[in-house]
Amino acid sequence: SVFEHVHNLDLTFHLDRNTGAVSRILDRGNRSISFLLNAMVFNIVPTTLEVGVVTGLMAWQFGAGHAMVVLGTIGAYTGFTVGITQWR
């Protein structure tokens, strides 16, 4: 039987086995996907929606020029923040 075969194997076989590797890899993948989905749902999507609503309202109330100023300001802030973060 398989049970007897496993018990009859040499001790070095059992000590050299890396039985938790697949479980660890799957757990890390699960945590990565969970982190990505949380970031998307709670940070990226709401921010994008808010920028779109504000830009749309500015374009509707004051014209496309003001909407471009809003987008330019947000783009400059994002570029500055990413640049300083990468530099540090």
Side-chain angles (χ1 to χ4, degrees), residues 7-74:
H7 279 283
N8 290 331
L9 290 172
D10 193 17
L11 180 63
T12 56
F13 173 80
H14 294 291
L15 293 176
D16 291 340
R17 299 274 305 170
N18 197 2
T19 56
V22 173
S23 176
R24 187 172 53 251
I25 290 169
L26 289 173
D27 185 51
R28 287 181 64 197
N30 186 19
R31 281 187 278 142
S32 298
I33 290 172
S34 177
F35 175 77
L36 182 64
L37 288 176
N38 279 334
M40 292 287 290
V41 169
F42 295 115
N43 293 326
I44 297 171
V45 171
T47 302
T48 305
L49 183 65
E50 182 179 7
V51 167
V53 168
V54 168
T55 304
L57 288 173
M58 291 295 283
W60 182 58
Q61 288 285 346
F62 304 109
H66 284 76
M68 291 301 123
V69 169
V70 168
L71 286 178
T73 303
I74 292 171

